[in-house]
Amino acid sequence: MKWLWVLGLVALSECLVKIPLMKIKSMRENLRESQVLKDYLDKYPRSRAHVLLEQRQSPAVTYEPMRNYLDLVYIGIISIGTPPQEFRVVLDTGSSVLWVPSIYCSSPACAHHKAFNPLRSSTFLVSGRPVNVAYGSGEMSGFLAYDTVRIGDLTVVAQAFGLSLEEPGIFMEYAVFDGILGLGYPNLGLQGITPVFDNLWLQGLIPQNLFAFYLSSKDEKGSMLMLGGVDPSYYHGELHWVPVSKPSYWQLAVDSISMNGQIIACDGGCQGIMDTGTSLLTGPRSSILNIQNLIGAKASGDGEYFLKCDTINTLPDIVFTIGSVTYPVPASAYIRKDRSHNCRSNFEEGMDDPSDPEMWVLGDVFLRLYFTVFDRANNRIGLAPAA
């Protein structure tokens, strides 16, 4: 039976579509190099989406309070329209909307990015419906449209997407990417709108209703999004499957978080989100402060935590237990060294989620270590050590 399962995976790997991802400089690095990081963090100490949520509570706005793209480093290439217009987008499991800038956008941020020109596409249709998305670190407002979207060799027809008219603040001004393609569940996005991945399945473009991510640790190239199948050469051992606990985000139950055999967070269990749109490991304030203290990280004026770089070789693993399986995160993963040879903690206080104050987000720090399958057909997540 095991050999049949392996042969099945090999067969599926021949049908899947692989989308190469690029590793880029993060917004945080760009802000730091431009010497405006502290000003930005002072201005937006809390999630922008929660502030907007408190102010407006508008049903016309899609709120994504967990989204904070400051540290994002992986993007992919898609095209929209006929003939195709190319965009660099975040392939984001923590949201569901596809949007890119439009030529009608008046914000300074749009001047720094490629903008979609509807007049140059013969397959473009406008809906007239307004689109407003509030993220953790900014917001976008515009209008809904339909057009052909190409991702790799796959072509989705009549795909709904947002075109920005405004991108206020400096949310996107320092971003290397143009827009965002959400891979979360449909109920995270705009009501009545079918997201890109759902259309890939509904239009018969992929053999299996799942996708997977392999994130390279060091190289700028080598990272991969797999659509419609799994290539077993990208991981070691067997996939361990965990049910999705709440089908909106790719959310699962975490048993505990420990160091040296002692539980240091998530005592009694908590929830975690597997999130390609977040680079760091984020969690509740008290738990994160405890971990920073345990690893000897000291706070700086801009809210980041610094460590001595030689501790990378001496600090123990921090172990996430999920579905009774242990997933160690070594110090070499939870500490990052920048170009100036300063070392920072990859743990960060998360954005408040009123519905679950114990929510953790397992971003790219975790996903680089563990190949991850997002199985929509069975509402489950598969994890295995990355090759």
Side-chain angles (χ1 to χ4, degrees):
M1 285 299 293
K2 182 177 178 181
W3 282 109
L4 288 173
W5 175 78
V6 171
L7 288 169
L9 281 180
V10 171
L12 285 171
S13 72
E14 294 174 355
C15 301
L16 66 86
V17 173
K18 295 178 183 176
I19 311 299
L21 305 179
M22 295 181 295
K23 203 171 182 181
I24 58 168
K25 186 189 294 184
S26 72
M27 285 173 64
R28 189 186 296 270
E29 287 179 86
N30 283 337
L31 289 165
R32 186 186 293 118
E33 289 176 7
S34 302
Q35 299 184 326
V36 292
L37 177 61
K38 189 176 187 303
D39 291 341
Y40 177 85
L41 294 173
D42 286 344
K43 190 173 182 180
Y44 303 118
R46 300 173 57 221
S47 163
R48 279 291 287 154
H50 280 309
V51 173
L52 294 165
L53 194 60
E54 291 164 4
Q55 289 173 352
R56 288 190 268 191
Q57 290 287 344
S58 171
V61 178
T62 299
Y63 294 97
E64 298 286 357
M66 303 299 287
R67 321 306 312 122
N68 186 342
Y69 297 104
L70 270 179
D71 296 285
L72 179 107
V73 292
Y74 297 98
I75 59 171
I77 303 289
I78 67 164
S79 66
I80 304 173
T82 308
Q85 300 175 42
E86 266 194 8
F87 298 92
R88 308 209 302 180
V89 295
V90 180
L91 294 158
D92 178 20
T93 58
S95 65
S96 296
V97 179
L98 166 62
W99 70 266
V100 295
S102 79
I103 58 169
Y104 309 112
C105 179
S106 58
S107 300
C110 294
H112 295 81
H113 297 94
K114 287 187 178 179
F116 181 77
N117 186 346
L119 303 176
R120 293 182 178 173
S121 175
S122 62
T123 45
F124 177 80
L125 292 171
V126 66
S127 78
R129 176 177 169 181
V131 173
N132 296 280
V133 185
Y135 292 95
S137 46
E139 56 189 304
M140 179 281 281
S141 62
F143 61 96
L144 189 71
Y146 295 85
D147 210 331
T148 300
V149 172
R150 294 169 182 82
I151 178 168
D153 295 330
L154 304 175
T155 302
V156 181
V157 296
Q159 175 61 53
F161 69 107
L163 284 169
S164 71
L165 294 173
E166 289 185 332
E167 297 172 18
I170 57 174
F171 163 50
M172 286 291 292
E173 206 166 325
Y174 288 88
V176 181
F177 53 90
D178 302 309
I180 295 163
L181 191 159
L183 292 166
Y185 282 81
N187 61 2
L188 267 184
L190 301 167
Q191 189 173 4
I193 298 303
T194 306
V196 173
F197 180 75
D198 292 73
N199 269 331
L200 287 173
W201 174 248
L202 292 171
Q203 294 181 21
L205 300 172
I206 51 177
Q208 270 206 315
N209 193 8
L210 58 78
F211 59 93
F213 274 91
Y214 171 81
L215 300 183
S216 171
S217 295
K218 295 177 181 177
D219 297 334
E220 288 185 8
K221 297 180 179 179
S223 300
M224 201 72 64
L225 164 64
M226 302 171 195
L227 296 166
V230 175
D231 185 342
S233 68
Y234 282 84
Y235 63 87
H236 299 298
E238 294 185 9
L239 288 163
H240 292 278
W241 295 99
V242 186
V244 171
S245 56
K246 185 180 178 183
S248 54
Y249 292 109
W250 285 94
Q251 185 172 324
L252 44 67
V254 179
D255 303 337
S256 65
I257 302 170
S258 60
M259 177 191 281
N260 290 328
Q262 300 295 314
I263 293 177
I264 58 172
C266 190
D267 193 358
C270 59
Q271 292 291 302
I273 294 170
M274 312 302 291
D275 188 4
T276 59
T278 296
S279 182
L280 308 182
L281 295 161
T282 75
R285 175 178 171 79
S286 59
S287 298
I288 292 297
L289 290 177
N290 181 46
I291 290 174
Q292 307 290 29
N293 183 54
L294 287 169
I295 65 176
K298 305 298 182 185
S300 67
D302 57 10
E304 296 183 291
Y305 282 77
F306 286 82
L307 302 87
K308 293 180 179 178
C309 289
D310 57 10
T311 58
I312 292 175
N313 302 314
T314 58
L315 282 169
D317 295 350
I318 292 178
V319 179
F320 289 76
T321 302
I322 302 170
S324 302
V325 177
T326 57
Y327 297 93
V329 177
S332 57
Y334 65 75
I335 298 172
R336 71 187 184 279
K337 182 186 287 189
D338 64 20
R339 292 184 177 93
S340 303
H341 301 287
N342 295 312
C343 287
R344 294 174 171 84
S345 169
N346 275 331
F347 283 96
E348 184 177 69
E349 182 183 338
M351 297 191 174
D352 302 328
D353 183 352
S355 65
D356 192 342
E358 288 299 307
M359 182 67 73
W360 286 77
V361 178
L362 307 185
D364 298 342
V365 170
F366 186 90
L367 298 174
R368 277 191 287 268
L369 299 171
Y370 299 102
F371 179 86
T372 308
V373 183
F374 299 83
D375 185 350
R376 277 288 297 279
N378 299 292
N379 287 325
R380 61 181 184 168
I381 297 167
L383 295 167

